[in-house]
Amino acid sequence: MHMKFALLGACAATMALTAPARAEYPEEPVTLVIPFGAGGITDLVTRRIAEKMAAGLGTDIIVENRPGAGGTIAARSVAESDADGYTVFVGTVGSQVVNPLIRDNVGYDPVESFEPVGLMAGTPFLLAVNPGLGVETFGDLVTYAKEHPGELNFGSAGVASSPHLGLELLKYEEGIDIVHIPFNSGREAVNAAASNEVDMTIDAAVVIMPQVKEGLLVPLMLGTDRKMVAAPDVPTNVEAGAPEISITSWNGLFVPSGTPEDVVSTLNTALMGALADEELTAALEAQGTLLFTGSMEEYDAFIEAERTRWSTIVEAADISIN
Amino acid sequence: MGVLDNLALGLQTALSLQNLAFCVFGVSLGMAVGVIPGLGAIAAISMLFPITYHLELTPALVMLAGIWYGSSYGGSTASILLNIPGTPSSVVTCIDGYPMGQQGRGGVALLMTAVASFFGGSVGILLMMFFGPLIASYAREFGAVEYFALIVLGLVAASTVAQGSAAKSLAMVTLGLIFGTVGLDMYTGAERLTLGIFELSDGISLVALAMGLFGVSEIISSVRQVKAAEVGKSSVGLRAMKPTREDVRRSVLPMVRGSAIGSFFGTLPGTGPAISAYMAYAIEKRLSRRKHEFGKGAIEGISAPEAANNAADQTSFIPTLTLGIPGSPTMALILGALIIHGITPGPQLVSEQAPVFWGLIMSFWIGNLLLLVLNIPLIGVWVRLLLLPYHFVYPAVLTFIAIGVYSVNNNVFDIQVVLAFGALGYLLRLLDFPTAPVLLGFVLGPLLEENFRRAMLISRGDPLVFVQHPISATVLALAAALLVLGAWSALRQTRQGTALPTPETD
Amino acid sequence: MQDRNYRDMIGGGLLVLFGLWVAWQAWSTLDIGSARRMGPGFFPLCIGLILAGLGGIVLAGSFVQSAKMPEVDLRACVSVLASLAVFALLLETFGLLPAIAALVGIASLADRTTRARQVLALIALLCVLCWLVFRLGLGMPLPVLKWPF
């Protein structure tokens, strides 16, 4: 009798101890942390995708905005959270590549602290100039810049923003000298270019094309090799003869390193399911955002390539935030 | 399309059941969060933002906008009754509103601020309706040079707000300037005065600073002194709310001037209702023949700023909708709502999205009217709540301040900022320094520096550019004239033997 | 003059010190540049010096005037500030309700006339109210009650 009870007790104890490991993930709602405030492009794209992901994941997804320090505050807080798959980070080129390069004390390592789940979306950027410049093609712009070094003004969304990095990339690859004028946001920079306070700028199609429609800006080139529905007549970087000028603001899902593989895999499956949704793809593409459809290896390779590329540029341009 | 057609279209849209419901909800919630210190439009809009994904554009905008301008209606309530600003835009209302409350004229103050808010809001809406696109095209002409000149003018005009020693006032403006520089430098990315604290890279939050400096410090000061229940309970019955003829007469011009100032500053990105209210107060005081009454319950001291902040609320939609440049973080959220629905802000918005634009405008009318009407009976309700024994009220206010401030960035650091500024505010009070000018320096300082440096960058270091641009030259000349005038009148006062302000003895 | 204005002396003195500190920070850690090509340190340096100057004026004035020293309500100051600090500490670890309870409890210490019963009632009321408004109503992503051990 006592033996039976003892055995039963032992079994129960064993089950209780191992139960957490066997429990189905996810049991609770999953939180997606966005490193920017509500209403920005990252926020929008993430929320749309999260909606579709929740169905595939079988649980609620809570989207939380944790802005600050260019995304570093959110990155840090997720890197330090439990690696149980319930806190997922929406990493961007800023948080995963650029900030650790330019800031001294980010408090996390982009490679060591995180494990990628999958790439979500990318918004390619466009290069546009004020019509008063009299330049019609990218080639013309480079010629003009070489003839007038240090005269042209470029408006960006701020130091170390994607547009700024795009400018530095341009200067590096084409060997031209253009003065950087930072603004508080992309829209301010684009408006400044449209009103001729600065000569040129880089930003997303969503921001640039309305000005183009009003005749206030001339788009010269896409920062990608894929044609864009949102900017149909604008040449790609390959077509413009500058294939190395690739500027895309991308984001992807990351979890703290040490998260169990099956959890990561579950998240990845749900993400892939959401990204395959045709309605979503069409809606986002109309706004100039492209969903990624690659494998994990392609994802890893892409981020590594970005890291290599931007560290060269950052060093060459001596950008730092300390 | 003629204006009348647009109005009809707008009315049709605004009066749909759905839009009307969201309007009512929005303004009510806005007013409620405005009344509660610490909780403001930004907190409410941030938290409700996800809902806008599931709504159509017009009801979403109507609701968010209602919260936005509704909060300026409610903000003055706590200012008048508790000397704690309900929102940053009501900070200056404390200066004359609270004394009015203490004098048993709380009801009148509450009513007049509601009326002034409606007046200002109406002016703002009218400007949006008739001059919206025009103003937008003018805003396009404004570059860094022009903005710099305008900010200089603003600083010069507003430098006479507080009573007492001029050195102390200016010192506080300068202190505000210093707090404004905390954070990453826009042009080089260098960290300024952040002491290595990461969360300070983006600067100090306005709400946290205002709530700490004005709210928490007020609580500390008043905890053992104020028996709010004894003061003015009888003064808020409906009869007691009736302003005298004198009150109305004295308020008309201030409301007009306040609306003008608010409408103007609302259209400048980076400035908003808070600074508009401040400017209106300062200019009113400068122009008044009753300067000495300001700070002691002068009705102009609440009519002008309250008209200004509501006018600014409305006109700040102009740059947001037609240029896509939000004047404040809250506007950025509203802009986000537009973008979610695939609407790109820009000059084409007014014509391409006519139903949305005009529907929104008509909903502004409905909302403002609703707020005016709602405010009157609600005055009694708020008063009864806020005049509960102070030892119930202040912990509640502290709780809301803490939660409200946290909710903006989901970061406890902001609560610590409130704490720090609360301590600072208390210290400043003890040392007899006026705290309101800190706000002026804090908001305008960064704008001043940013625009100066951008102007210099673009002109490659040529300072003559400020005189070469016609608008800037005119504005700077005006500022210089004001400075000279101010100095001359100060000199005259000294010569005529008018006593220099002496430090107040407690 | 017999009496000095010690209040303004302290005030002016603090401003001078703070202004100088800001100016020193700017000078030692930032690039100053010139008036035409302002570095990040130029503006802070200037306004730090201006603040120190204004503080000096206040300080100078304090030697020839007299004023009463203000009463410091230390109990109120410490309890209100501590309540906020504890709230910030508890909020994310233990959740909203314990944080509110702590805040109200500690802040109530500022007013000696508050009785324990009233404090408890207020805590209960605020907890319910905040839960309704923030959690249910506005959907704030904040834990209500957590036990982190």
Side-chain angles (χ1 to χ4, degrees):
Chain A
M1 248 344 197
H2 295 282
M3 274 298 282
K4 271 202 190 146
F5 272 123
L7 264 175
L8 216 59
C11 281
T14 321
M15 276 177 62
L17 283 172
T18 56
R22 296 253 183 93
E24 279 298 310
Y25 167 88
E27 282 184 314
E28 314 172 354
V30 170
T31 307
L32 251 54
V33 177
I34 302 182
F36 299 113
I41 295 187
T42 313
D43 182 72
L44 277 120
V45 172
T46 306
R47 286 181 192 267
R48 283 247 177 93
I49 294 180
E51 232 185 301
K52 306 276 177 183
M53 254 183 92
L57 210 51
T59 181
D60 278 338
I61 295 190
I62 304 171
V63 178
E64 197 180 307
N65 298 89
R66 232 176 263 174
T72 324
I73 291 185
R76 227 194 228 173
S77 70
V78 175
E80 289 168 4
S81 67
D82 294 332
D84 53 14
Y86 288 107
T87 313
V88 181
F89 183 57
V90 179
T92 64
V93 63
S95 66
Q96 304 308 114
V97 173
V98 179
N99 285 336
L101 287 173
I102 63 180
R103 284 180 192 245
D104 283 341
N105 52 343
V106 284
Y108 64 90
D109 181 300
V111 178
E112 298 299 324
S113 314
F114 291 104
E115 211 166 298
V117 170
L119 215 55
M120 285 203 303
T123 308
F125 279 49
L126 279 82
L127 173 66
V129 299
N130 187 282
L133 209 54
V135 160
E136 303 269 302
T137 71
F138 180 69
D140 288 344
L141 176 67
V142 175
T143 317
Y144 188 97
K146 287 195 170 135
E147 287 168 7
H148 304 89
E151 271 184 42
L152 288 176
N153 290 322
F154 177 97
S156 82
V159 171
S161 62
S162 287
H164 178 206
L165 293 172
L167 168 68
E168 297 299 335
L169 180 63
L170 202 59
K171 287 163 62 177
Y172 183 80
E173 295 288 342
E174 304 296 327
I176 49 184
D177 177 14
I178 300 178
V179 176
H180 174 222
I181 313 275
F183 287 80
N184 278 314
S185 70
R187 263 177 223 283
E188 269 189 58
V190 172
N191 273 301
S195 62
N196 209 13
E197 196 177 11
V198 294
D199 302 297
M200 47 194 278
T201 187
I202 289 176
D203 211 299
V206 158
V207 188
I208 295 215
M209 292 317 284
Q211 308 280 12
V212 171
K213 289 205 185 98
E214 297 277 319
L216 296 167
L217 281 180
V218 176
L220 293 184
M221 187 173 88
L222 294 175
T224 179
D225 55 3
R226 284 163 73 169
K227 276 296 223 193
M228 275 179 65
V229 166
D233 298 319
V234 183
T236 66
N237 53 9
V238 173
E239 288 170 1
E244 64 284 346
I245 311 284
S246 161
I247 313 155
T248 302
S249 166
W250 52 263
N251 48 54
L253 294 182
F254 295 82
V255 284
S257 59
T259 308
E261 267 205 57
D262 50 336
V263 170
V264 176
S265 160
T266 314
L267 282 169
N268 176 277
T269 316
L271 176 64
M272 292 295 133
L275 295 177
D277 187 288
E278 281 178 7
E279 194 199 322
L280 187 62
T281 311
L284 287 177
E285 214 162 301
Q287 292 194 313
T289 299
L290 304 165
L291 292 177
F292 272 81
T293 49
S295 65
M296 283 298 286
E297 290 75 40
E298 287 175 315
Y299 182 38
D300 284 332
F302 175 77
I303 299 188
E304 255 321 294
E306 288 281 282
R307 195 164 284 135
T308 320
R309 197 157 67 103
W310 292 120
S311 49
T312 319
I313 302 296
V314 164
E315 234 189 276
D318 195 25
I319 306 177
S320 76
I321 290 186
N322 46 359
Chain B
M1 262 184 132
V3 176
L4 277 179
D5 290 328
N6 284 328
L7 291 184
L9 174 65
L11 208 56
Q12 203 180 24
T13 320
L15 285 177
S16 82
L17 206 60
Q18 190 191 31
N19 290 335
L20 204 58
F22 276 100
C23 184
V24 173
F25 175 66
V27 299
S28 317
L29 182 61
M31 188 166 64
V33 293
V35 171
I36 301 174
L39 222 49
I42 186 156
I45 294 180
S46 306
M47 289 190 250
L48 283 178
F49 194 74
I51 298 184
T52 59
Y53 281 90
H54 307 288
L55 291 175
E56 274 167 42
L57 178 63
T58 314
L61 276 183
V62 164
M63 175 181 78
L64 293 181
I67 299 177
W68 166 249
Y69 58 80
S71 68
S72 288
Y73 271 85
S76 48
T77 312
S79 303
I80 293 169
L81 297 175
L82 291 177
N83 205 22
I84 298 176
T87 61
S89 63
S90 316
V91 166
V92 276
T93 314
C94 295
I95 305 180
D96 276 275
Y98 185 63
M100 277 185 81
Q102 298 297 94
Q103 292 159 13
R105 305 231 298 149
V108 174
L110 288 167
L111 184 65
M112 286 310 291
T113 52
V115 170
S117 296
F118 180 75
F119 188 92
S122 308
V123 170
I125 302 174
L126 283 171
L127 281 172
M128 267 191 85
M129 280 168 57
F130 294 107
F131 300 107
L134 195 68
I135 294 177
S137 63
Y138 267 118
R140 189 146 276 178
E141 303 296 315
F142 274 61
V145 174
E146 286 78 17
Y147 276 122
F148 173 76
L150 280 171
I151 307 276
V152 168
L153 181 62
L155 273 173
V156 169
S159 54
T160 56
V161 163
Q163 14 244 71
S165 146
K168 284 190 176 181
S169 261
L170 287 174
M172 288 299 103
V173 176
T174 317
L175 193 64
L177 286 172
I178 291 179
F179 289 132
T181 58
V182 173
L184 285 184
D185 174 49
M186 213 188 120
Y187 294 100
T188 59
E191 292 217 351
R192 305 202 290 188
L193 300 178
T194 59
L195 304 173
I197 301 177
F198 226 61
E199 286 85 347
L200 285 178
S201 324
D202 288 324
I204 298 174
S205 129
L206 172 67
V207 176
L209 182 142
M211 285 305 129
L213 204 62
F214 304 107
V216 175
S217 69
E218 170 63 29
I219 290 178
I220 300 177
S221 303
S222 306
V223 160
R224 277 197 277 162
Q225 293 171 31
V226 171
K227 297 293 168 207
E230 295 162 8
V231 180
K233 213 170 196 166
S234 61
S235 76
V236 284
L238 249 128
R239 230 168 295 151
M241 280 198 276
K242 198 157 168 221
T244 66
R245 233 193 212 155
E246 170 87 7
D247 286 332
V248 175
R249 196 178 53 83
R250 279 168 62 172
S251 298
V252 172
L253 278 182
M255 287 201 289
V256 172
R257 285 190 281 258
S259 306
I261 293 170
S263 306
F264 178 70
F265 277 97
T267 55
L268 296 183
T271 60
I275 222 52
S276 306
Y278 193 98
M279 287 284 146
Y281 184 86
I283 290 177
E284 207 48 52
K285 184 172 172 194
R286 194 179 252 263
L287 293 174
S288 166
R289 264 168 250 169
R290 298 193 184 83
K291 283 196 186 48
H292 50 275
E293 279 184 40
F294 278 74
K296 302 196 180 87
I299 196 151
E300 300 92 327
I302 57 173
S303 320
E306 284 297 315
N309 66 22
N310 280 74
D313 279 344
Q314 305 296 156
T315 56
S316 46
F317 277 95
I318 298 180
T320 306
L321 294 178
T322 58
L323 291 176
I325 300 179
S328 64
T330 324
M331 267 294 147
L333 286 175
I334 296 182
L335 191 65
L338 271 176
I339 299 177
I340 291 173
H341 290 87
I343 312 285
T344 345
Q348 79 293 359
L349 188 121
V350 178
S351 43
E352 279 178 24
Q353 301 289 336
V356 176
F357 181 74
W358 292 103
L360 193 62
I361 293 203
M362 294 318 281
S363 82
F364 289 166
W365 280 117
I366 299 176
N368 272 284
L369 213 60
L370 212 66
L371 283 165
L372 180 66
V373 166
L374 271 181
N375 252 294
I376 299 175
L378 278 180
I379 288 178
V381 175
W382 298 128
V383 162
R384 242 153 236 118
L385 270 182
L386 293 177
L387 290 188
L388 286 173
Y390 206 62
H391 56 245
F392 280 133
V393 170
Y394 82 84
V397 171
L398 275 174
T399 309
F400 287 120
I401 289 180
I403 300 179
V405 156
Y406 172 84
S407 69
V408 176
N409 285 328
N410 288 320
N411 200 330
V412 289
F413 180 74
D414 288 333
I415 303 180
Q416 292 160 347
V417 174
V418 174
L419 199 159
F421 278 98
L424 178 68
Y426 187 52
L427 181 67
L428 290 176
R429 276 168 196 255
L430 290 177
L431 297 174
D432 191 38
F433 281 96
T435 45
V438 176
L439 195 67
L440 181 73
F442 181 72
V443 176
L444 291 189
L447 288 176
L448 191 74
E449 188 199 7
E450 174 193 326
N451 283 297
F452 182 78
R453 285 168 75 182
R454 186 172 301 132
M456 286 288 105
L457 260 181
I458 294 181
S459 73
R460 306 286 190 270
D462 177 20
L464 284 179
V465 73
F466 293 110
V467 203
Q468 286 164 347
H469 287 220
I471 301 177
S472 146
T474 326
V475 171
L476 284 176
L478 208 65
L482 266 180
L483 254 180
V484 168
L485 226 90
W488 181 62
S489 72
L491 221 72
R492 239 179 46 167
Q493 274 187 342
T494 330
R495 283 229 196 97
Q496 286 175 352
T498 316
L500 280 169
T502 50
E504 290 173 36
T505 50
D506 293 339
Chain C
M1 286 280 164
Q2 279 182 328
D3 257 329
R4 302 281 169 84
N5 187 344
Y6 289 110
R7 186 185 60 192
D8 277 1
M9 216 181 273
I10 298 176
L14 285 175
L15 284 181
V16 171
L17 286 174
F18 187 63
L20 288 177
W21 177 79
V22 169
W24 176 73
Q25 276 282 86
W27 182 261
S28 58
T29 59
L30 295 170
D31 175 31
I32 303 290
S34 67
R36 285 191 186 187
R37 288 215 170 256
M38 275 191 187
F42 192 90
F43 200 63
L45 176 67
C46 286
I47 53 183
L49 291 176
I50 291 178
L51 185 65
L54 289 168
I57 295 179
V58 174
L59 189 60
S62 75
F63 284 101
V64 293
Q65 292 155 351
S66 67
K68 268 167 49 178
M69 276 296 275
E71 258 183 60
V72 181
D73 190 346
L74 204 62
R75 189 188 164 109
C77 192
V78 171
S79 22
V80 168
L81 295 179
S83 72
L84 283 174
V86 173
F87 183 90
L89 275 171
L90 294 183
L91 183 64
E92 284 181 340
T93 333
F94 289 95
L96 187 63
L97 302 184
I100 293 180
L103 184 146
V104 176
I106 299 178
S108 301
L109 293 174
D111 184 355
R112 263 185 218 135
T113 67
T114 323
R115 283 175 298 216
R117 257 183 312 153
Q118 295 172 318
V119 176
L120 287 172
L122 188 59
I123 291 179
L125 179 65
L126 277 176
C127 281
V128 171
L129 194 63
C130 288
W131 182 70
L132 277 175
V133 171
F134 294 105
R135 199 79 176 94
L136 283 188
L138 294 172
M140 228 173 105
L142 197 65
V144 172
L145 247 173
K146 263 170 45 173
W147 192 248
F149 304 117

